[in-house]
Amino acid sequence: MLVRTAPEALTQRPIPFLRSAWPWRSLAYLLAAVVPGLPVMGVVAGVAVTASPAVAVAGVAVVALLTPVVARYERWRLRLVDDVPLPVTPGGLRREAALGGVTVLLLWWLDVVMALFAAVGLVLLILTPVVQPTVSVPVGLAASGLGVLLVPVAAYTLTAWAGARGAMTRAILAPQAAELSEVLRSRARLVDAFETERRRIERDLHDGAQQRLVALTMSLGIARLDLPDDTPAGRLVARAHDEAKQALAELRALIRGVHSQVLTDRGLPAAVRDVAGRSPVPVEVELALEERLPPAVEVTAYYVVTEALTNVARHSGASAARVTGRAEGGTLLVEIRDDGRGGADPGRGSGLTGLADRLAVVGGRLSVSSPAGGPTLVRVEIPCA
């Protein structure tokens, strides 16, 4: 198992955990808290020596100015107990200021006290016969033995505290909602990149392989005209001509599956009618849109309709289907109905689950009504903003 945070390290078995670097990383993380505490200790010492209000005010001003630096230091220090990169989220400066202030006023000395109590205290306990020579030998040896036995306890205690502190820092710098938003944006970028690649593949197939097959089919057709059908060469050319036409038809179907050029050129209604026209189940289309929708919305709606109609043809046993849609209140509403046997269930790992995931990228929703015996209604809602 790949361990990337101190809390994850605590879930390991004791021996692998104690042999890992996580207890030492946690100790280093806690001891590193003394750095942001140095300005505070300097201010306290200056006020104690001079007892001057001016020194106190100046010290507080210096500490306040250092707060952003402390926040960046906390972000860097977090890597000792949390290897997961922090996302760049809106409002980060405010959160960094809050983290810097809390660290300077409270958290740094808690970290240092925990590290000193668990690590330094343990070392002193083990070295009791050395640091306290007046203690009798049996007592000193007993204290040292107890210290050795407490080493695993100290390792777990330090790692647990450091993991909690790291989780607190992450929660302040990157709240869960912000991380979720970044994940959604990242997924949307991946989908956009995937769609761009699909268009490139479609263009290369259309302008490259398809054109070569067209030229080959024409050449074989011309050669077929010049050869009698009852000769071996004529039969061979005729067979090659038929195979080339079949390959060309399959390639055109593949190109349409990769990306619909009709969708790019003429929009969603025309693309849906094109898909409906090629469906083995008769499909009625009623999709009235006054203007073109954003490309991401059109592409998502197109592939949802395509997949839904494919499911109708393969699994429903329907004799007819209907696709309706409209843009209303900034939302595209599309419904796919069929008179089949019903029983479609997104929870059984069908293609409907993939459609729901695809819709989630653009903030859309999928609802399915498919009682046993039918009919089936797939309803899609996609925000157009």
Side-chain angles (χ1 to χ4, degrees):
M1 180 181 70
L2 178 62
V3 178
R4 304 191 66 181
T5 66
E8 290 177 359
L10 291 171
T11 64
Q12 293 180 298
R13 293 182 179 274
I15 298 302
F17 167 71
L18 294 174
R19 292 176 58 184
S20 70
W22 286 103
W24 297 104
R25 292 176 63 167
S26 300
L27 177 61
Y29 174 80
L30 296 178
L31 290 176
V34 74
V35 174
L38 291 176
V40 178
M41 290 187 291
V43 171
V44 173
V47 173
V49 171
T50 63
S52 170
V55 174
V57 172
V60 171
V62 170
V63 172
L65 291 174
L66 289 177
T67 297
V69 179
V70 172
R72 286 192 289 271
Y73 176 76
E74 284 294 295
R75 181 184 285 271
W76 172 85
R77 186 167 72 112
L78 180 64
R79 292 181 293 180
L80 289 170
V81 292
D82 190 338
D83 287 336
V84 181
L86 279 170
V88 179
T89 57
L93 293 179
R94 294 193 302 272
R95 287 192 288 269
E96 287 188 353
L99 175 63
V102 173
T103 300
V104 168
L105 296 177
L106 177 65
L107 296 180
W108 73 269
W109 66 267
L110 290 176
D111 291 346
V112 174
V113 168
M114 178 60 70
L116 294 177
F117 178 78
V120 178
L122 189 62
V123 171
L124 292 177
L125 186 62
I126 295 174
L127 299 178
T128 297
V130 177
V131 298
Q132 293 187 1
T134 59
V135 175
S136 62
V137 174
V139 174
L141 292 178
S144 297
L146 179 61
V148 172
L149 293 176
L150 289 177
V151 166
V153 177
Y156 275 94
T157 302
L158 287 172
T159 306
W161 179 261
R165 277 283 290 110
M168 184 187 305
T169 299
R170 174 174 286 277
I172 295 175
L173 292 178
Q176 187 176 10
E179 289 196 342
L180 178 60
S181 298
E182 177 61 25
V183 170
L184 293 177
R185 286 193 294 269
S186 176
R187 187 167 64 171
R189 289 193 295 269
L190 288 175
V191 171
D192 289 342
F194 178 64
E195 185 60 32
T196 300
E197 185 65 13
R198 289 169 68 106
R199 294 190 182 195
R200 185 192 66 79
I201 294 173
E202 184 271 338
R203 185 173 59 253
D204 291 346
L205 289 174
H206 183 275
D207 297 340
Q210 179 177 253
Q211 298 305 318
R212 291 180 181 274
L213 266 178
V214 169
L216 175 62
T217 303
M218 293 179 62
S219 298
L220 289 172
I222 294 173
R224 187 176 183 177
L225 294 174
D226 295 336
L227 293 173
D229 292 339
D230 56 352
T231 62
R235 290 191 292 270
L236 187 60
V237 171
R239 183 185 305 170
H241 186 218
D242 293 338
E243 290 291 338
K245 290 192 293 183
Q246 180 64 27
L248 181 59
E250 292 178 357
L251 179 61
R252 284 172 173 164
L254 175 63
I255 292 173
R256 285 194 298 266
V258 171
H259 179 76
S260 171
Q261 192 61 39
V262 177
L263 178 67
T264 302
D265 295 340
R266 299 169 55 194
L268 182 62
V272 170
R273 291 188 180 94
D274 179 58
V275 173
R278 291 184 276 109
S279 173
V281 176
V283 180
E284 179 185 353
V285 178
E286 185 180 336
L287 192 58
L289 301 175
E290 296 181 357
E291 57 185 13
R292 292 291 297 266
L293 301 175
V297 175
E298 285 192 336
V299 169
T300 302
Y302 171 77
Y303 284 110
V304 168
V305 172
T306 301
E307 182 65 22
L309 291 180
T310 300
N311 290 339
V312 169
R314 290 179 179 176
H315 310 299
S316 71
S319 61
R322 186 166 184 248
V323 179
T324 61
R326 66 188 184 279
E328 183 178 276
T331 301
L332 174 65
L333 305 176
V334 179
E335 294 182 347
I336 304 98
R337 305 170 184 265
D338 69 73
D339 59 359
R341 64 177 65 95
D345 183 6
R348 294 187 304 194
S350 65
L352 295 174
T353 303
L355 294 183
D357 292 339
R358 181 70 181 260
L359 285 165
V361 176
V362 293
R365 294 190 303 172
L366 175 74
S367 57
V368 180
S369 173
S370 184
T376 296
L377 169 63
V378 177
R379 179 183 174 90
V380 176
E381 301 177 27
I382 308 176
C384 297

